[in-house]
Amino acid sequence: INEQLQPFDLSVDEAALGGFSAGSQLSLLYAYSMNSPIPIHFVFVRSAPVSMIRSDWQEAENSLLLDYFVNEEQQRSPITYINEQSVPTLAIYPMSDTIIGTKHGQLLESALTQNNVPHTILYAPNSDHYLLNDPDQMQQFDALVHEYIKKYF
């Protein structure tokens, strides 16, 4: 990363990772399973798939997604790598998600709690996967991102 930033006279010494949907899965997977050369202080994600085990996608209605991407591979499941050294995590999940189902927030919250990882999990009761019907929860999530920045940097 720093090599790519060099022409702009920039560098990165520390980071937080964030994402939405599949991007959030990748952010969590990297933060929990990789030894990053740049310290990651926390992750913030929206509608994050955390398990690639088919039974954790019971309410998902997207057959293409299920047939091609969801299998029994633990190695692509971020919750597989959560331990006591995992980075603090901020997440928001919709309660009417037909793309990944509604179980992933509970799975993430349980794994983080079991390993004593600092975390905040919010739920958006009126939203689907895209989190468009709960502006108050999204505003709270955005405010918490700023709090996490102040706290962990």
Side-chain angles (χ1 to χ4, degrees), residues 21-138:
S21 195
S24 62
Q25 179 200 4
L26 294 174
S27 294
L28 291 172
L29 197 57
Y30 187 85
Y32 296 155
S33 69
M34 303 299 288
N35 186 13
S36 177
I38 298 171
I40 298 168
H41 292 282
F42 70 92
V43 287
F44 58 103
V45 296
R46 297 176 295 159
S47 302
V50 296
S51 170
M52 297 309 284
I53 305 303
R54 195 173 189 93
S55 62
D56 293 333
W57 292 65
Q58 291 172 347
E59 300 149 343
E61 296 175 3
N62 190 328
S63 62
L64 179 67
L65 183 69
L66 289 173
D67 291 343
Y68 292 100
F69 297 107
V70 179
N71 49 44
E72 299 303 313
E73 291 187 38
Q74 292 276 6
Q75 69 212 32
R76 293 190 305 162
S77 300
I79 58 172
T80 300
Y81 302 98
I82 294 174
N83 60 53
E84 292 176 355
Q85 284 76 45
S86 293
V87 297
T89 302
L90 171 61
I92 186 166
Y93 284 92
M95 296 302 293
S96 299
D97 195 328
T98 58
I99 294 178
I100 68 168
T102 59
K103 192 173 182 180
H104 293 268
Q106 297 162 354
L107 291 169
L108 180 61
E109 190 165 18
S110 176
L112 294 168
T113 299
Q114 288 175 5
N115 287 282
N116 298 311
V117 177
H119 65 278
T120 305
I121 309 293
L122 301 176
Y123 294 95
N126 303 308
S127 289
D128 62 7
H129 190 70
Y130 302 100
L131 295 160
L132 299 175
N133 296 327
D134 289 286
D136 291 342
Q137 280 80 5
M138 289 307 300

